[in-house]
Amino acid sequence: MMALREKDVFDLNEVEFAIVEGSGSISVLKKSEFLPVTPSDMLLKTSTKGLSVPLIADGKVYDSNLEQLKLDRQWLASQLEQAGIPSFIEVFYADINSEGKLYISKIVQAQNLQDSFTL
């Protein structure tokens, strides 16, 4: 039962077939009425999500990625400024997704943990 739960099956009535593979793992095919609904089931059109493109890592700007996206450092600096970040070197990681949404993670300075412990 644990192997089935790892496949998100908690009720044996939902299982059409379960096969124990040669490796010892279990492959499960749920009955069609228990499968999740997909956009194609509802005749909905979807767009490709695409991959996010890294723009900054450890304070280093990936100029070639900016060029591919027809963006520049000035645009990136203004986006960082809007987020309250004055410099590229303060960014741990930044990327942009296919919808143009920017993700920014600042570098966080580690606190001196030695001061927190006494022996």
Side-chain angles (χ1 to χ4, degrees), residues 1 3-4 7 15 17-29:
M1 284 301 295
L4 287 173
K7 298 287 186 178
V15 177
F17 296 102
I19 301 167
V20 178
E21 304 290 351
S23 64
S25 65
I26 292 182
S27 296
V28 176
L29 176 64

Side-chain angles (χ1 to χ4, degrees), residues 24-96:
S25 65
I26 292 182
S27 296
V28 176
L29 176 64
K30 286 185 174 184
K31 293 179 182 174
S32 60
E33 63 264 29
F34 296 108
L35 293 173
V37 176
T38 65
S40 65
D41 292 335
M42 299 180 71
L43 304 176
L44 297 174
K45 293 186 181 205
T46 59
S47 59
T48 303
K49 185 162 172 82
L51 296 174
S52 294
V53 177
L55 301 177
I56 302 174
D58 292 323
K60 180 184 176 297
V61 177
Y62 293 127
D63 290 304
S64 61
N65 289 352
L66 284 170
E67 288 174 21
Q68 283 183 329
L69 296 167
K70 302 198 181 345
L71 300 171
D72 57 24
R73 281 180 176 245
Q74 184 177 350
W75 174 85
L76 186 55
S78 71
Q79 297 300 306
L80 294 178
E81 191 175 300
Q82 288 177 25
I85 303 170
S87 171
F88 298 131
I89 61 172
E90 292 186 28
V91 178
F92 173 68
Y93 180 78
D95 69 24
I96 190 167

Side-chain angles (χ1 to χ4, degrees), residues 1-12:
M1 284 301 295
M2 183 177 95
L4 287 173
R5 287 192 300 273
E6 290 174 347
K7 298 287 186 178
D8 295 325
V9 175
F10 294 87
D11 183 348
L12 289 174

